[in-house]
Amino acid sequence: MPSLPCFSRRQGLAAVLALAATALTGLAQAQPLTGKTVKLLVGFPAGGGTDAIARVLAESLKDELGATVIVENKPGAGGQLAAQTLKTAAPDGTTLFLSHDHSISILPQVVKTPGFDPAVDFVPVAGFATFVNAFAVSGGTPAKSFNDYVAWVKSAGGGKGAVGVPAPASVPEFLVKVIAEKYKLDLVAAPYRGSAPMMADMLGNQIASGVGSVPDFIENHKSGKLHVVAVLGGTRQPALPDVPTFAELGLAGFEDVPYYGVFAPAGTPKATLDQFSAALAKVLAKPAVHDRLTAMGLTVGHMSGEQLGAREKAYTATWAKIIKATGFVPQ
């Protein structure tokens, strides 16, 4: 059989190389974050609940993405600084914002010029959990239940008291306003720069009570250093089965639970969003990760970018009504 002409061999080799190049290009397009460094912005200090959650996820995400994943804390103004950082980041998926409801749904409603518009500047990548906020009392108080706390404030403080909140003009602050009105108390919300400094003051008995997420309180509640006495949401939390909801205590209207999600700068390619979302879904399916986040007080479940966007819009609408009812004026 005659051998192939020399030009055919060259053409065949060229075709093979072209196919290989095409395959590699397609792989790079399908896995745009592989081999890169991905920053997860967190809008609160290290040591708080959101920071701890981000670090749990980052550890496993690096394997699924084939990328270096780091947590970068940008504390200040209830996550506002981190959100502003995301807005100006390159839309290539290497800078993402891991946030709960406050920075995305609440801040734009309570700050006149937040410096970002989630609907314009961000795109939802994926959600990974819902959670509830909780009311806790310091170990230095005699209260072991919410009704005990109300009675203690009325007797020991003459009806006056300070309640720590992780950020000004936040869901916890609005909850303090509603509690004060319902129970005829003169409560002042004391804003902190995140849950970590608030927790430090609670553990040091510098402030008698605080409102924050269950992940903020769960470990110190289990150790008896403070007591979670009520939770928001429609049902009791699996991590805190003995703690009643506010609805059980007669304070309805706080059943819509907040969310945790990851957001990217607007204009980030869909292939990049899809790669991260798929990696996050795989991470959440790992029993070790799922169980660890559940123990922190989260209800774990993957949400697509579309589902997270819908969840964010619904939650924003719910709190728009509550914020308006309190008479709050954006600052």
Side-chain angles (χ1 to χ4, degrees), residues 55-66:
R55 294 181 189 279
V56 169
L57 293 176
E59 183 65 25
S60 290
L61 278 168
K62 67 181 183 182
D63 295 328
E64 294 299 335
L65 290 172

Side-chain angles (χ1 to χ4, degrees), residues 86-87 89-93 95-96 121-123 263-268 273:
L86 184 73
K87 176 183 175 179
D92 59 4
T95 302
L96 302 171
D121 301 318
F122 304 156
V123 58
F263 298 83
T268 302
L273 304 178

Side-chain angles (χ1 to χ4, degrees), residues 44-315:
F44 298 94
T50 301
D51 174 73
I53 290 164
R55 294 181 189 279
V56 169
L57 293 176
E59 183 65 25
S60 290
L61 278 168
K62 67 181 183 182
D63 295 328
E64 294 299 335
L65 290 172
T68 300
V69 182
I70 61 174
V71 176
E72 184 172 304
N73 299 89
K74 288 278 186 181
Q80 189 173 349
L81 296 184
Q84 291 171 348
T85 300
L86 184 73
K87 176 183 175 179
T88 59
D92 59 4
T94 59
T95 302
L96 302 171
F97 184 24
L98 188 149
S99 178
H100 53 52
D101 62 294
H102 179 72
S103 304
I104 304 297
S105 292
I106 306 301
L107 266 179
Q109 300 190 65
V110 300
V111 177
K112 285 184 179 179
T113 55
F116 65 95
D117 181 349
V120 175
D121 301 318
F122 304 156
V123 58
V125 183
F128 59 88
T130 58
F131 67 99
V132 300
N133 285 300
F135 193 101
V137 296
S138 302
T141 71
K144 296 296 185 292
S145 70
F146 183 76
N147 289 332
D148 286 348
Y149 170 79
V150 172
W152 176 74
V153 171
K154 288 182 176 179
S155 62
K160 296 182 178 182
V163 183
V165 297
S170 58
V171 166
E173 180 170 329
F174 293 119
L175 178 61
V176 173
K177 292 178 182 291
V178 174
I179 289 172
E181 181 177 352
K182 177 171 178 61
Y183 293 95
K184 304 297 187 292
L185 300 174
D186 184 8
L187 297 179
V188 176
Y192 286 80
R193 294 187 64 185
S195 60
M198 180 186 77
M199 288 293 301
D201 275 3
M202 291 184 69
L203 294 173
N205 295 312
Q206 299 300 307
I207 192 165
S209 58
V211 180
S213 70
V214 167
D216 291 333
F217 294 132
I218 189 71
E219 292 303 321
N220 287 303
H221 171 82
K222 289 179 178 178
S223 68
K225 294 178 181 178
L226 54 76
H227 306 288
V228 177
V229 294
V231 297
L232 281 73
T235 60
R236 294 193 180 196
Q237 295 301 297
L240 298 167
D242 297 327
V243 178
T245 66
F246 272 107
E248 290 179 69
L249 296 171
L251 187 61
F254 296 96
E255 289 73 41
D256 195 11
V257 297
Y259 57 85
Y260 263 109
V262 178
F263 298 83
T268 302
K270 186 177 185 302
T272 306
L273 304 178
D274 289 346
Q275 183 192 0
F276 188 92
S277 181
L280 183 59
K282 290 180 180 178
V283 165
L284 297 176
K286 295 180 179 180
V289 175
H290 185 280
D291 293 349
R292 192 170 175 187
L293 294 178
T294 299
M296 295 170 73
L298 300 180
T299 299
V300 180
H302 180 262
M303 290 180 275
S304 68
E306 292 77 11
Q307 290 171 324
L308 174 60
R311 183 76 191 84
E312 182 268 322
K313 288 179 181 178
Y315 188 84

